[in-house]
Amino acid sequence: MSLRTRLLILVLTAMLVPALLVGLRFVQNRASEIDAALANLAASADDIASDLGEKIQGTAQLHYGLARARDLDTRDKAACSAFLSDVREAYPQFTGILTIDPDGRLFCDSLRTNRTLDLNDRGYFKEVKDLHGVVAVEPVFGRLTGLSVLQIAYPVRSEAGALKFVLLASFNLNKFAEFHDKRLLAEKDILLVDAKGTVLTAPKGGGWSVPIGGSIAGSDLFRFAAAPDGEPFREIADGGGRTQIWGVARSPSIRKAGLYILVGRSKDGLIAAANRRLYEDMAILAVASLLLLAGLWILTSVSIGRQVGRLAAMAKSLGRGDLSARIPEPHPGGELGGLMTLLNSTAESLEQQRAAIADLSHKLSQSQKMEAMGQLTGGVAHDFNNLLTVILGNSEHLADRLAGNEELHRIADDIATAAERGSDLTRSLLAFARKQPLRPREINIAEQVTGMTQLLQRTLGEHIESSFTLAPDLWLASVDPGQLATAVLNLVLNARDAMPNGGKLTVEVRNASLGESDLDVNGEPRQGDYVMLAVKDTGSGMSSEVLARAFEPFFTTKEVGKGTGLGLSMVYGFAQQSGGFVQMQSEPGQGSVVRLFFPRLATSPNAEPAAAERVAAPEGRETILVVEDDDMVRAYVENELKALGYRVITTSNGPAALDVLRRSGDIQLLFTDVVMPGGMFGPELAGQALQLRSGLKVLFTSGYSQDPVKTPDGIDARILTKPFRRKDLAAMLRAALSEPPP
């Protein structure tokens, strides 16, 4: 028996079970289709309710625009009606648009009827008189047209809040229902009723008996529609004995407006459609089976060998790790074609997984690089700040000793200035690595931006025009100046990259008082007084999809190696951590503007301290235990403290300091470094020292700490940051010694 015949017999035998399974599946699909059709009734009702909600929102926006039209702010009734008539022609979904005086009387309308109507008895008018900036909604039959409409009323108020007039738009529910009836291809019946059971729009089918304006109150259908949390659909028999399945919209806003939206379908028609689909599927299966048998004969005799060869070549390529290999189209029918498609899909999936793994590996590498940079920066900062402490302190000594020699005194001052610049550089590195907590100060943000003007202009380049708009009399804000500078620089760099062919950049700083309508990037209202800093460019802008992800970490539209995607996320985090927020607007081809808002300080700024050379350093007579692992820093601190009149005991590590404390002797203050070798850091030393001497005062010093200093209970976390000047050391010592005992 030939291979072709064997395959044919095998396929005939094997097709019996799949045919039964497919038939069973078709039967299950029929049941699923019925269930889906039932669920689709409620979904269609919810869809219609959602569309109506959008129409209400659009009408509210129309009202908002009309409220500011000068043509309505008039007592010329004819002119007002003419204007509304023109507006009505542009919006045919409304049967009429009119204005109502505060006393409830009709003033002008788009139909130019010149009728006199008293609308004080209308529910929407009673409700809208107490509203501010929102609409009142009520389904009724219009007095001017007699049609079922959804009245959408909006209060127009003066600047003082007094009601000037009410704008009313009558949304045509009949046209709305007709539109959705056509959209549903007349397969479903649409019924709109109000909260009293009055029929507003009736189904077009011949089986419905209640006319428009009639009532279904008290019926099973109305009880189903009015149930607050009932089932999504229900079978209800009408007066003619026909069973109808109804679904109701559960939209809270539409139900609150007193409107129920129902979508129904004949049960017989629904089941008939499912049966028809079942018969069609079974017929398709039968035809497909016959065609498969005929094709199999041709396949086995003509091309089975070639197709198996293609599969073998594909499998061999995958075995070698070549995931880019594919079996080219066209594929044969049947199992061989399915296997080819499966192999192609598998190879594509594996290739995507390999690319995803490579991408994750790259991101992990980038993350590890940034973490390593942060660790390196922290270590360098610690040692560098120790060196700067000695340099800064000794330069002060030199300046004092060389006061009589003007040139050498100036050199000593230059050394101190260089040391302070080194300290600023260290803080900038730590801010870049995000390894230090914020150090907010009461500052004038405009002055900070002014100090960065030259740096920003050099960063932008000559092909970009820059301007700075800094408002006078700015409020003060509590902001970390270093982090603020980093945030502004990030925004300016982003703007520069968005204008490769040149453009204009504007930096603006002004006061801003925000209300309920002012939202942050998360859509949350942020009322209050703020100092606003905005960076605006005329670059390429962003699409809405890119704008929605602009603040996500690692998200960037730049080429690989041209950006980490952390710039805007750092700006967002800095603004949030500072108690403020971010707004951003951008459109393709229209540029972008990013606004940072920082809360206004409620208190006046602290007085500036007098110049260091005019303030005598506080002195004392207490005994201080100094713990510092760096020999030069320890020697410098010891000399400074002795010069200030203190008695000094020095140690290089925590265990040695505890040995001193265990011995008798009067020690008033422990002055310890935070990070020290030997396994015992400053906070741990302070905790054990307090157990030995409960009245001991503690002052920490640090050039860098990987984590914020966490002190035991009862210890005031005063920290003197390295490098420090003599006056800072003296002042912090007196402040710590003056603290009441814990």
Side-chain angles (χ1 to χ4, degrees):
M1 189 179 294
S2 66
L3 176 62
R4 181 178 59 186
T5 304
R6 292 174 184 270
L7 286 174
L8 184 59
I9 295 174
L10 180 62
V11 169
L12 288 172
T13 305
M15 282 184 62
L16 294 177
V17 173
L20 293 176
L21 293 177
V22 171
L24 179 61
R25 182 60 179 172
F26 285 160
V27 173
Q28 292 175 342
N29 287 342
R30 172 185 176 276
S32 298
E33 285 186 11
I34 294 175
D35 293 340
L38 293 175
N40 182 257
L41 291 176
S44 297
D46 287 334
D47 181 54
I48 295 173
S50 175
D51 184 42
L52 184 57
E54 292 179 2
K55 296 298 189 297
I56 295 173
Q57 183 64 29
T59 305
Q61 294 175 356
L62 174 63
H63 280 333
Y64 183 80
L66 291 177
R68 284 146 183 81
R70 295 181 179 178
D71 300 83
L72 294 184
D73 193 7
T74 177
R75 297 309 298 172
D76 187 341
K77 188 172 184 178
C80 177
S81 297
F83 173 72
L84 290 180
S85 178
D86 293 338
V87 175
R88 159 67 180 77
E89 290 182 1
Y91 296 91
Q93 66 268 36
F94 302 114
T95 62
I97 304 175
L98 51 90
T99 65
I100 308 170
D101 286 336
D103 62 0
R105 297 193 176 277
L106 172 66
F107 177 67
C108 64
D109 68 271
S110 61
L111 300 178
R112 305 185 187 184
T113 61
N114 291 322
R115 291 181 58 183
T116 300
L117 290 179
D118 186 353
L119 302 172
N120 277 294
D121 60 334
R122 287 297 196 178
Y124 60 81
F125 183 74
K126 296 177 182 178
E127 180 184 356
V128 80
K129 290 194 296 183
D130 297 326
L131 298 180
H132 294 265
V134 295
V135 296
V137 182
E138 181 184 9
V140 297
F141 287 93
R143 290 182 178 177
L144 296 178
T145 62
L147 299 175
S148 58
V149 295
L150 188 65
Q151 302 286 36
I152 305 172
Y154 177 80
V156 180
R157 299 185 179 274
S158 65
E159 293 183 358
L163 182 64
K164 295 170 63 178
F165 57 88
V166 173
L167 264 171
L168 180 68
S170 302
F171 183 76
N172 193 330
L173 291 177
N174 287 322
K175 285 188 175 181
F176 178 76
E178 289 175 0
F179 168 77
H180 283 283
D181 186 63
K182 293 178 180 178
R183 185 177 63 86
L184 298 176
L185 303 177
E187 292 182 352
K188 304 181 181 72
D189 296 328
I190 300 175
L191 173 64
L192 304 183
V193 298
D194 65 12
K196 297 179 181 179
T198 304
V199 176
L200 300 173
T201 66
K204 301 298 183 181
W208 182 258
S209 59
V210 182
I212 294 177
S215 176
I216 61 170
S219 66
D220 289 340
L221 179 58
F222 184 72
R223 283 190 291 271
F224 162 65
D229 295 309
E231 65 269 28
F233 52 84
R234 180 185 294 180
E235 292 185 14
I236 298 175
D238 59 18
R242 187 183 63 161
T243 301
Q244 192 87 351
I245 304 175
W246 292 94
V248 64
R250 297 294 179 184
S251 169
S253 59
I254 299 300
R255 295 172 71 86
K256 182 179 178 181
L259 181 64
Y260 301 135
I261 300 176
L262 298 102
V263 175
R265 187 175 182 181
S266 167
K267 183 178 180 180
D268 293 338
L270 185 148
I271 295 177
N275 288 336
R276 183 172 60 255
R277 178 62 180 272
L278 173 63
Y279 300 149
E280 291 174 353
D281 289 344
M282 295 297 291
I284 291 174
L285 175 62
V287 172
S289 299
L290 294 175
L291 292 176
L292 178 63
L293 289 175
L296 179 63
W297 183 266
I298 299 173
L299 175 68
T300 54
S301 60
V302 176
S303 61
I304 189 170
R306 184 173 62 89
Q307 303 302 343
V308 170
R310 296 172 69 190
L311 286 170
M314 177 67 176
K316 187 175 181 180
S317 298
L318 293 179
R320 293 196 304 264
D322 181 12
L323 300 182
S324 63
R326 299 289 187 274
I327 300 178
E329 298 279 359
H331 294 167
E335 288 79 2
L336 288 179
L339 183 56
M340 290 180 181
T341 302
L342 178 61
L343 283 175
N344 281 351
S345 299
T346 302
E348 184 176 354
S349 176
L350 290 175
E351 191 173 26
Q352 292 174 353
Q353 291 178 22
R354 176 184 286 178
I357 291 172
D359 183 58
L360 288 175
S361 177
H362 175 70
K363 288 183 177 179
L364 177 61
S365 176
Q366 288 290 100
S367 177
Q368 290 173 340
K369 181 177 68 175
M370 295 300 292
E371 180 65 22
M373 183 179 295
Q375 296 289 346
L376 176 61
T377 303
V380 170
H382 181 272
D383 293 340
F384 193 40
N385 280 332
N386 280 339
L387 296 174
L388 289 174
T389 299
V390 177
I391 295 171
L392 184 60
N394 287 327
S395 66
E396 287 188 305
H397 277 297
L398 286 174
D400 292 342
R401 298 286 183 88
L402 301 172
N405 188 320
E406 182 177 350
E407 181 178 359
L408 295 179
H409 185 273
R410 180 183 57 78
I411 293 175
D413 285 340
D414 290 343
I415 295 174
T417 301
E420 288 180 338
R421 289 183 178 177
S423 177
D424 291 338
L425 175 60
T426 304
R427 282 194 294 271
S428 298
L429 290 173
L430 290 174
F432 166 75
R434 300 179 65 82
K435 291 294 184 179
Q436 70 173 7
L438 292 180
R439 302 177 65 181
R441 291 182 5 220
E442 299 172 350
I443 64 171
N444 184 312
I445 292 180
E447 293 179 358
Q448 294 294 122
V449 173
T450 301
M452 297 180 63
T453 301
Q454 293 184 355
L455 169 63
L456 297 180
Q457 288 174 338
R458 288 196 302 269
T459 300
L460 288 170
E462 297 180 354
H463 66 298
I464 295 177
E465 177 187 351
S466 62
S467 63
F468 297 83
T469 305
L470 309 177
D473 302 325
L474 283 178
W475 297 322
L476 294 181
S478 180
V479 181
D480 185 320
Q483 293 284 8
L484 176 65
T486 301
V488 173
L489 188 58
N490 267 318
L491 295 178
V492 169
L493 288 173
N494 279 349
R496 181 196 66 186
D497 294 343
M499 298 183 288
N501 299 320
K504 182 176 180 180
L505 179 134
T506 303
V507 178
E508 179 186 7
V509 182
R510 61 176 173 83
N511 297 330
S513 296
L514 306 183
E516 294 182 357
S517 60
D518 295 292
L519 310 178
D520 61 12
V521 293
N522 298 318
E524 297 293 332
R526 302 296 292 263
Q527 295 175 263
D529 293 336
Y530 297 87
V531 180
M532 187 272 291
L533 187 153
V535 177
K536 181 179 181 181
D537 65 68
T538 59
S540 56
M542 290 179 275
S543 65
S544 57
E545 293 79 8
V546 173
L547 184 61
R549 301 186 60 192
F551 292 99
E552 293 183 9
F554 298 110
F555 177 75
T556 178
T557 57
K558 299 176 182 178
E559 299 177 4
V560 177
K562 296 296 182 63
T564 63
L566 291 173
L568 284 179
S569 65
M570 291 173 65
V571 171
Y572 172 84
F574 162 63
Q576 293 284 343
Q577 192 174 355
S578 299
F581 65 96
V582 181
Q583 288 180 348
M584 187 170 185
Q585 295 174 335
S586 184
E587 292 183 9
Q590 302 299 319
S592 304
V593 56
V594 181
R595 298 182 179 90
L596 306 184
F597 293 85
F598 301 98
R600 172 189 182 182
L601 274 182
T603 59
S604 59
N606 296 329
E608 289 291 336
E613 55 270 14
R614 297 180 182 177
V615 178
E619 297 184 357
R621 301 179 181 276
E622 292 88 349
T623 301
I624 298 176
L625 174 58
V626 177
V627 187
E628 171 61 59
D629 61 289
D630 189 281
D631 295 337
M632 290 190 297
V633 177
R634 187 170 63 252
Y636 160 68
V637 172
E638 180 180 6
N639 291 334
E640 289 290 346
L641 295 181
K642 288 180 178 179
L644 292 171
Y646 296 102
R647 294 180 60 249
V648 184
I649 303 173
T650 61
T651 62
S652 61
N653 55 65
L658 292 177
D659 290 339
V660 173
L661 291 171
R662 292 189 185 100
R663 298 195 295 268
S664 60
D666 189 15
I667 299 175
Q668 283 75 35
L669 183 136
L670 171 65
F671 183 42
T672 176
D673 196 3
V674 173
V675 179
M676 295 184 294
M680 181 179 290
F681 282 12
E684 182 182 357
L685 169 61
Q688 296 188 30
L690 276 182
Q691 294 178 4
L692 294 174
R693 301 195 179 198
S694 58
L696 187 66
K697 307 296 177 60
V698 180
L699 175 62
F700 294 103
T701 181
S702 176
Y704 162 74
S705 177
Q706 173 68 23
D707 300 304
V709 178
K710 298 179 181 179
T711 59
D713 294 338
I715 300 180
D716 180 32
R718 289 182 178 272
I719 302 176
L720 181 60
T721 304
K722 299 176 183 178
F724 47 79
R725 286 185 174 270
R726 181 189 311 155
K727 65 183 182 65
D728 299 326
L729 173 63
M732 287 292 284
L733 284 172
R734 293 315 311 165
L737 287 167
S738 300
E739 284 288 331

